[in-house]
Amino acid sequence: QGRTLRGRVVDVTSGAPVPGVALRATVAKKEGRSLVLDEQEAASDDDGRFEVSGIPPKEPVALSARKAGYAPRNLDLGESDDDLEVLLGRGGRVEGRLCGRPFELARSEIWMRAPGNVDSREGAQKVDGTGRFVFTGVETGSRTFTRAWLRENPLSPGSYGAALGDTRATVVVEEGRTIAISLGCDGIPLAGVFLREGKPVPDGIVFFQGPAGVAPDAMTDAEGRFSLFVPAPGSYEPDVDLSPAPGMGWAPVACHVPPGGLEGCVLDLSPVPAQEKP
């Protein structure tokens, strides 16, 4: 029969039972190189009580609770967490601003995730013409908001590819509170032009690998120009999705950013013979 979870869902403010809550218990198990999800579902009754059975024993369980009008609730359960009280509230509100040039804002979305979760487009928010965005009904706790670059697949209308860098902010969301955040608005200015063998690289997304593994990101305009803020002085190497000719690689290039910032950095990719791996 497996493991059984029993509990009750209550309103975090009033303590009243919450009926009709959809609950899902998920166990992720590795089978060879594959990740298999075992999911069991249930709903809370008129007294807010629920029972989820058939769960594989001795495995970490992720329990989610969802109901319209409430913020989602996600719990990571240990082996002995079989009797539960699940608290549902309206959550918090996050108001934010993404800084960037108009063409960058047009290609950006804001994704939200909890620590340890995989980045997902579910619930993503577009920014307006001034970079403003709002998340409502946000689950309480630590939440990370990240800028995602979107590119529509011309061969498959409606499908997108996405790339995420380190233009992000992490905050603690509290019940009934509003938090203001900004993304890509602060730091040390870095601007310049990105070239490939002397020619501008237009409409390209550039990730800059910097000190301590930080990867701030920007997009080039039609002339290959870029502009962003980096978190600390140091050397920043570009990482772009450009392939050299077979048997060739790119010579290292970098922007060396002083504490006061850097304007006019020229990054010109030049092909060199690829080094053979030992």
Side-chain angles (χ1 to χ4, degrees), residues 192-204:
V193 61
F194 194 79
L195 309 172
R196 176 177 179 172
E197 298 181 67
K199 297 180 180 180
V201 177
D203 192 33

Side-chain angles (χ1 to χ4, degrees), residues 13 28 40 68 86 105 110-111 118 132 141 163-165 189 195-196 204 236 244 255 263 276:
T13 301
Q40 304 296 330
V86 179
L105 299 178
I110 307 301
W111 292 14
V118 176
R132 302 288 179 179
L164 293 87
L195 309 172
R196 176 177 179 172
Y236 288 84
C255 292
E263 299 284 341
E276 295 184 3

Side-chain angles (χ1 to χ4, degrees), residues 9-232:
V9 186
V10 298
D11 187 288
V12 69
T13 301
S14 67
V18 183
V21 177
L23 297 116
R24 175 180 295 175
T26 302
V27 174
K29 298 184 296 181
K30 285 188 175 181
E31 295 186 3
R33 295 184 178 181
S34 301
L35 187 66
V36 179
L37 299 181
D38 188 309
E39 297 182 330
Q40 304 296 330
E41 299 179 345
S44 60
D45 62 17
D46 290 342
D47 194 36
R49 300 192 179 278
F50 66 89
E51 183 175 296
V52 187
S53 58
I55 302 170
K58 298 182 180 180
E59 296 283 354
V61 179
L63 180 68
S64 67
R66 301 286 189 275
K67 183 175 181 177
Y70 285 90
R73 186 67 173 165
N74 296 281
L75 301 171
D76 293 322
L77 307 180
E79 290 186 21
S80 60
D81 297 327
D82 292 342
D83 296 307
L84 306 166
E85 182 178 63
V86 179
L87 304 177
L88 284 190
R90 269 58 181 183
R93 177 183 176 94
V94 176
E95 299 179 350
R97 179 189 174 208
L98 173 67
C99 290
R101 292 170 290 179
F103 65 90
E104 292 179 298
L105 299 178
R107 285 277 298 280
S108 299
E109 280 187 351
I110 307 301
W111 292 14
M112 176 182 68
R113 67 181 173 92
N117 288 355
V118 176
D119 288 304
S120 169
R121 197 182 180 194
E122 181 181 358
Q125 297 291 319
K126 296 288 288 184
V127 302
D128 66 15
T130 65
R132 302 288 179 179
F133 60 90
V134 175
F135 285 80
T136 59
V138 180
E139 183 180 4
T140 57
S142 178
R143 298 289 173 264
T144 298
F145 297 83
T146 305
R147 186 253 299 282
W149 299 100
L150 296 186
R151 185 187 297 273
E152 186 172 8
N153 184 349
L155 301 178
S156 179
S159 64
Y160 292 82
L164 293 87
D166 278 346
T167 300
R168 63 183 62 196
T170 299
V171 294
V172 176
V173 178
E174 299 180 11
E175 178 70 23
R177 300 283 299 274
T178 296
I179 296 178
I181 64 173
S182 63
L183 303 178
C185 302
D186 304 303
I188 300 172
L190 167 61
V193 61
F194 194 79
L195 309 172
R196 176 177 179 172
E197 298 181 67
K199 297 180 180 180
V201 177
D203 192 33
I205 298 167
V206 188
F207 300 93
F208 289 88
Q209 302 294 331
V214 176
D217 47 316
M219 185 176 178
T220 59
D221 63 14
E223 286 76 40
R225 298 188 184 93
F226 62 86
S227 177
L228 72 160
F229 292 96
V230 297

